[in-house]
Amino acid sequence: MIDALKSDDIVNKLGGRFKLTALIQRRLGEIIAGARPLVERHGRTDFEVVVEEIVQEKITIDWEVSGLQPPARAK
């Protein structure tokens, strides 16, 4: 299992599991269609690459375009 998914940090960063899943699904489709990964592959699967892109904040949800509310940031 991917270590980043064991913690709720990545889920909280995006505001929930549904939003995380939607972002992963969209980006995975882009990579399968030929988009270049934004992180080094190092023998990882496409799914692992997408999760690493999210962890490194190379990709995120465009809150304005999506019409979704961004998650509240902890203070």
Side-chain angles (χ1 to χ4, degrees):
M1 180 175 200
I2 300 170
D3 289 337
L5 297 177
K6 290 180 182 177
S7 168
D8 284 339
D9 292 343
I10 193 170
V11 173
N12 295 334
K13 181 187 292 190
L14 294 173
R17 294 188 189 283
F18 175 76
K19 292 174 186 172
L20 171 63
T21 303
L23 181 60
I24 290 172
Q25 191 173 27
R26 179 172 292 240
R27 181 62 179 151
L28 191 55
E30 291 174 353
I31 289 179
I32 289 170
R36 291 185 181 206
L38 301 174
V39 297
E40 293 295 321
R41 188 170 283 279
H42 298 297
R44 294 182 281 198
T45 66
D46 291 342
F47 180 76
E48 291 169 324
V49 167
V50 170
V51 172
E52 186 62 28
E53 288 178 343
I54 295 169
V55 168
Q56 291 187 21
E57 296 184 0
K58 302 277 184 175
I59 61 170
T60 190
I61 296 171
D62 187 340
W63 300 107
E64 290 181 27
V65 172
S66 70
L68 299 171
Q69 293 293 322
R73 296 287 178 183
K75 294 182 180 185

